[in-house]
Amino acid sequence: MRFVARVLVRPKAEVRDPQGEAVLAALRSLGHDVAEVRTGKEIVVTFQAKDEQDARATAERMGDQLLANPVIESYSIEVDRDVVKAR
Amino acid sequence: MRFVARVLVRPKAEVRDPQGEAVLAALRSLGHDVAEVRTGKEIVVTFQAKDEQDARATAERMGDQLLANPVIESYSIEVDRDVVKAR
């Protein structure tokens, strides 16, 4: 079966986020009253797995092995069955 | 009132995603049976607005002005009241 995992990778709260700081400065220079900006990455992986439990375990292994740096980032995972996309 | 807008910026389906292709190759080299990888950016903006309607309009203006490149990217927005964070 095909599954789609959405992995959201964010810098930990105590880690600096230079990209977010740049966006904050740019939004302020455009006149927006912005207090804070944090940025993260979304990685959408379509892959084969036996069942939903296997898919979740596989997605977590991908996160630990490659997608997130556990020293400075945390991540969350959503797993769904892949439905045929009408593109 | 303070609001938090989560802006998800993704390359359009017909646009190449070199970062996603690199992640796909890396996951395959680790032995995962992956069909496709797409990457996007999450930008979480905390800002002042009069009410929820104003907050949504402001977040859309931020998306159009700065956060997304409409030629190659599409974006979606979720707006919520900012609750005091227990960090």
Side-chain angles (χ1 to χ4, degrees), chain A residues 10 35 38 40 42 44 46, chain B residues 10 35-36 38 40 42 44 46:
Chain A
R10 293 169 172 155
R38 299 289 288 180
E42 182 194 38
V44 183
T46 310
Chain B
R10 294 171 172 152
E36 190 185 17
R38 300 289 288 179
E42 181 195 39
V44 182
T46 310

Side-chain angles (χ1 to χ4, degrees), chain A residues 2 6 8 10 23 32-42 44-48 65 67 85, chain B residues 2 6 8 10 23 32-42 44-48 65 67 85:
Chain A
R2 261 159 79 110
R6 282 185 62 213
L8 271 172
R10 293 169 172 155
V23 172
H32 294 291
D33 185 8
V34 177
E36 189 186 18
V37 177
R38 299 289 288 180
T39 61
K41 287 174 286 185
E42 182 194 38
V44 183
V45 184
T46 310
F47 62 105
Q48 293 288 336
Q65 285 179 323
L67 302 178
K85 287 171 241 171
Chain B
R2 264 159 77 109
R6 282 186 62 213
L8 271 172
R10 294 171 172 152
V23 172
H32 293 292
D33 186 6
V34 177
E36 190 185 17
V37 177
R38 300 289 288 179
T39 61
K41 286 174 287 184
E42 181 195 39
V44 182
V45 185
T46 310
F47 62 106
Q48 291 287 336
Q65 286 178 323
L67 302 178
K85 287 172 236 170

